[in-house]
Amino acid sequence: MTTSRKALYSKRKKQKPFYKSKWFIIVCALVIIGGIGSQLAKDKQKDTSSKTETVQKDNQKDTTKVENTTTTTMAAKKSYKIGDTITFEGVAEITIKSAEFTDQRNQFDKSNPERVLKVIYDVKNLSDKDYLVSSELSLYVGSKKMESYPNENTIQNISSGRIFENAISHFGVNGSGSFELEVVPSFSFNAKKQIVLLDLN
């Protein structure tokens, strides 16, 4: 072997493989760090997106709750007036036709109220059973409950789909304030009481 070939061979032998070179190691390190950083950024973005969705869902729930509360409050505040028909689904329809004071007294009654109120109303039976027209009304004056007065008070039975017109209830009235009738079908434990405002003052 000549001297020049020996020198070339010796030079090649002394050169390090490319994967052991400083620059190759630096480039690989940068690629690895870049990949890790990219993955962390994606995870953070997913986490932020998830949190945003959760907040949006919570806000939607809160909005729905507020809407439901408002609807419930409005329903709770709903009241009727004389002449309105109040429907209790599957049970009865009740219409207050008139409410006025009367001078008629029961001579055997000892309660002696200041005034006596006479209420006339109609009832339609919406159920598939007989319905007893008797105790649909309660009177409140200034938030105080008034007692029933023993003048003529209707107690009648009507069959399914039938209507009883001009049912009568009397109440002894003491004190003053706003007049409100609570209306609910007789012997109904599930129906919600409805309010009829009376303009009698």
Side-chain angles (χ1 to χ4, degrees):
M1 186 180 292
T2 64
T3 305
S4 59
R5 284 185 180 179
K6 284 183 180 180
L8 182 61
Y9 177 77
S10 176
K11 189 177 181 182
R12 284 181 181 176
K13 194 174 181 181
K14 288 180 181 179
Q15 284 181 347
K16 293 181 181 178
F18 76 93
Y19 56 84
K20 288 186 178 181
S21 69
K22 187 187 296 183
W23 292 110
F24 180 79
I25 293 171
I26 291 172
V27 170
C28 288
L30 290 175
V31 170
I32 292 170
I33 291 170
I36 293 172
S38 176
Q39 187 61 41
L40 289 174
K42 285 181 181 178
D43 290 345
K44 188 173 181 180
Q45 187 175 4
K46 284 182 182 178
D47 188 47
T48 304
S49 177
S50 176
K51 285 181 180 178
T52 303
E53 287 179 8
T54 303
V55 170
Q56 287 176 345
K57 286 179 181 178
D58 289 343
N59 288 340
Q60 287 176 352
K61 287 179 182 177
D62 290 341
T63 303
T64 304
K65 284 180 183 177
V66 170
E67 289 176 353
N68 290 341
T69 303
T70 304
T71 304
T72 303
T73 304
M74 290 177 66
K77 289 184 177 179
K78 181 174 177 57
S79 59
Y80 297 85
K81 61 183 184 300
I82 290 176
D84 290 341
T85 297
I86 306 171
T87 302
F88 299 90
E89 292 294 336
V91 184
E93 281 182 356
I94 300 173
T95 306
I96 307 299
K97 297 173 74 174
S98 66
E100 56 187 16
F101 293 110
T102 178
D103 293 329
Q104 184 181 356
R105 294 290 188 275
N106 184 328
Q107 61 180 332
F108 301 105
D109 179 64
K110 302 289 180 68
S111 63
N112 194 28
E114 296 171 8
R115 293 177 289 179
V116 174
L117 184 68
K118 179 181 181 180
V119 181
I120 298 176
Y121 61 103
D122 294 345
V123 180
K124 180 178 181 180
N125 184 3
L126 300 179
S127 72
D128 55 0
K129 301 176 182 178
D130 286 354
Y131 179 90
L132 183 64
V133 180
S134 62
S135 58
E136 291 79 10
L137 312 181
S138 297
L139 177 67
Y140 288 81
V141 178
S143 299
K144 293 181 180 178
K145 186 173 183 178
M146 301 293 111
E147 296 294 327
S148 178
Y149 187 78
N151 273 349
E152 178 188 357
N153 293 304
T154 301
I155 301 177
Q156 290 288 337
N157 198 59
I158 55 175
S159 55
S160 178
R162 302 297 185 180
I163 299 173
F164 189 92
E165 294 184 327
N166 300 323
I168 298 173
S169 282
H170 285 87
F171 299 94
V173 177
N174 292 300
S176 60
S178 59
F179 283 72
E180 295 181 353
L181 279 175
E182 273 192 3
V183 182
V184 67
S186 297
F187 307 108
S188 176
F189 302 104
N190 297 322
K192 182 180 177 182
K193 296 175 181 178
Q194 301 297 328
I195 305 297
V196 177
L197 302 178
L198 306 178
D199 186 11
L200 298 172
N201 292 316

